Amino acid sequence: VIPRSVYPTLVLIQFIFGGWHVLGKIALKDGCNPFVFALYREVIASTLMFGLAFLTEGVLVPQRKHLLRLLLMGICSFVNVVGSVVALSLVSAPNVSLLQPSIPVFAMAISRVFGYEWLTIFKSLGLALSVVGSILV
């Protein structure tokens, strides 16, 4: 059973995802260094995620076998954020936000290459919706 609070939370997250491109463009237009902006974004997001995880789950310690994967995911996330912020300094916010729906496509391709995921009908539909969404926007 899915709690009712999940749906408003998902909508809020989508507004945050959409709004950070605009906020980033405004900050960069006013002269903020793209790498400093990326650092602020990462520090704020990490602090909020850690706090939320601590409040809901307590202290979480990853298993040793997952540390390399977590490091790789963190590096990929950081490269994504820095790349987005640098792109924001070069092009308009709507152009950068068009890349957001492509993330599931690349994530699925990479996880398939490494043998972590198999392409199912539901995943195929989700990827198709991502592609259609980015084309229509």
Side-chain angles (χ1 to χ4, degrees), residues 34-121:
F35 296 105
V36 172
F37 182 76
L39 176 70
Y40 287 154
R41 183 187 184 277
E42 288 293 296
V43 167
I44 291 169
S46 297
T47 304
L48 290 173
M49 285 190 295
F50 178 79
L52 183 62
F54 184 75
L55 288 174
T56 58
E57 302 292 329
V59 176
L60 300 173
V61 179
Q63 296 176 9
R64 186 179 200 112
K65 66 181 181 179
H66 297 302
L67 289 178
L68 185 60
R69 285 186 197 159
L70 286 172
L71 178 64
L72 181 62
M73 287 189 300
I75 290 170
C76 288
S77 176
F78 177 75
V79 168
N80 176 39
V81 170
V82 170
S84 294
V85 172
V86 170
L88 272 174
S89 67
L90 301 173
V91 298
S92 69
N95 288 343
V96 175
S97 66
L98 285 174
L99 295 174
Q100 194 74 35
S102 68
I103 291 174
V105 177
F106 290 112
M108 183 63 202
I110 291 169
S111 64
R112 180 64 197 106
V113 166
F114 288 109
Y116 293 122
E117 292 280 341
W118 294 99
L119 195 57
T120 65
I121 188 71

Side-chain angles (χ1 to χ4, degrees), residues 114-135:
F114 288 109
Y116 293 122
E117 292 280 341
W118 294 99
L119 195 57
T120 65
I121 188 71
F122 291 114
K123 290 176 187 174
S124 299
L125 288 172
L127 292 174
L129 283 173
S130 290
V131 171
V132 169
S134 63
I135 290 171

